[in-house]
Amino acid sequence: MNKRLFKHSRTLHKWAGYVLVLQLFAWLMGGLVMSALPLDKVHGKHLAKRTLENPFSSSDYTASLDNIRMQMPSLRQLQFTHRLNQPIIIAAEGKQKQVFHARTGQLSAALNQEQAERIAYNHYLGEGKVSLAERLITGPQEIGYRQDVWRIEFDDWCATTLYLDAHSGQFITVRSTIWRIFDFFWMLHIMDYQERKDFNNPLLISFAAASVLFAITGGMLLLQNPPWRRRKKRS
């Protein structure tokens, strides 16, 4: 093969290696960590129940639906559920939701801290105690910046954190140290350092292309002095 071609391959391989070394390590380490962590543990299925059994029957939902429609002219959806010892109706109008008392039809006030903690304990499957309870106007990145939520954190070994809707008390999601470790390496893996969900971002595509070039030039360098040629020389 042309010696000049090998020379250029060696130069490209070296510089591609300088650029890629840290990211290649991150990809390999991320692959190891993410494959080692069971998804059930990452999703926290052992930490919290997603739903609670509704103790109320249809006879408990006596509020006038016409009155609710008058308050929400563009009403699209009704959900009959409960919040602690109270049956409620969640009415959705586009992205806006209102919570009504299922017997009186009056708007229900948002959860206070005591109510939020009680609901969190009903969902929680661990043995820890609440170490932090705060109402957030905008939630953190780990729940997609969802608006108006209660964040309830427990003092167990994996810092289990439950997120509840501040008005309906509905369970949104559960997060833990295990989830955050997985999410960190997922961020490194897809190279989306803000939203952590764009698998087609230009930075990832550029580094993937550079990795292909690194592999191609490395393969070409292997052909410069292949084993079968060395065996011929010994013969």
Side-chain angles (χ1 to χ4, degrees):
M1 272 191 169
N2 193 322
K3 290 184 178 180
R4 184 177 297 176
L5 180 61
F6 283 124
K7 182 179 179 181
H8 291 318
S9 295
R10 189 177 297 107
T11 302
L12 284 172
H13 190 74
K14 180 179 71 174
W15 285 104
Y18 287 148
V19 172
L20 292 170
V21 59
L22 291 178
Q23 185 57 41
L24 286 173
F25 178 77
W27 280 337
L28 293 171
M29 180 62 72
L32 173 62
V33 171
M34 290 189 292
S35 62
L37 291 175
L39 280 180
D40 284 352
K41 302 294 184 184
V42 173
H43 294 154
K45 292 183 178 181
H46 63 300
L47 298 174
K49 294 180 285 188
R50 267 50 179 177
T51 58
L52 300 174
E53 185 179 352
N54 189 347
F56 299 100
S57 64
S58 56
S59 60
D60 294 303
Y61 296 86
T62 56
S64 170
L65 299 184
D66 290 335
N67 288 338
I68 293 177
R69 288 193 184 95
M70 288 177 62
Q71 297 179 63
M72 303 183 73
S74 302
L75 180 66
R76 291 181 176 273
Q77 184 181 16
L78 290 172
Q79 182 180 354
F80 298 84
T81 182
H82 70 290
R83 191 179 76 178
L84 293 174
N85 59 349
Q86 179 187 100
I88 60 172
I89 299 173
I90 303 174
E93 185 180 47
K95 293 184 178 180
Q96 182 185 6
K97 291 185 178 180
Q98 298 280 9
V99 180
F100 296 87
H101 193 293
R103 293 193 177 101
T104 66
Q106 295 180 338
L107 280 171
S108 292
L111 295 173
N112 58 37
Q113 181 174 335
E114 179 187 0
Q115 291 172 323
E117 289 184 13
R118 285 172 59 195
I119 293 175
Y121 273 118
N122 289 339
H123 284 278
Y124 183 53
L125 294 174
E127 298 180 355
K129 301 295 182 183
V130 171
S131 60
L132 175 68
E134 57 180 346
R135 184 176 176 180
L136 305 174
I137 296 175
T138 302
Q141 180 275 331
E142 65 182 20
I143 60 167
Y145 306 107
R146 183 157 171 164
Q147 301 292 305
D148 206 4
V149 298
W150 273 99
R151 179 177 185 263
I152 312 294
E153 185 174 323
F154 293 85
D155 62 0
D156 54 22
W157 69 273
C158 60
T160 301
T161 306
L162 272 60
Y163 290 93
L164 308 173
D165 185 277
H167 289 272
S168 68
Q170 285 194 308
F171 177 89
I172 297 172
T173 193
V174 58
R175 297 292 182 245
S176 67
T177 301
I178 300 173
W179 186 94
R180 294 177 183 113
I181 291 172
F182 186 96
D183 184 59
F184 174 77
F185 282 101
W186 173 253
M187 173 192 73
L188 296 180
H189 203 71
I190 67 170
M191 303 183 74
D192 181 359
Y193 303 109
Q194 294 182 336
E195 300 300 323
R196 306 186 184 188
K197 60 184 180 181
D198 184 4
F199 199 77
N200 304 106
N201 66 79
L203 185 60
L204 176 61
I205 294 171
S206 300
F207 268 77
S211 299
V212 172
L213 178 63
F214 183 74
I216 291 172
T217 53
M220 294 179 66
L221 291 175
L222 287 175
L223 296 176
Q224 186 175 13
N225 191 18
W228 58 86
R229 184 177 294 175
R230 289 201 297 268
R231 281 199 296 269
K232 284 183 178 180
K233 287 181 179 179
R234 287 173 191 156
S235 300

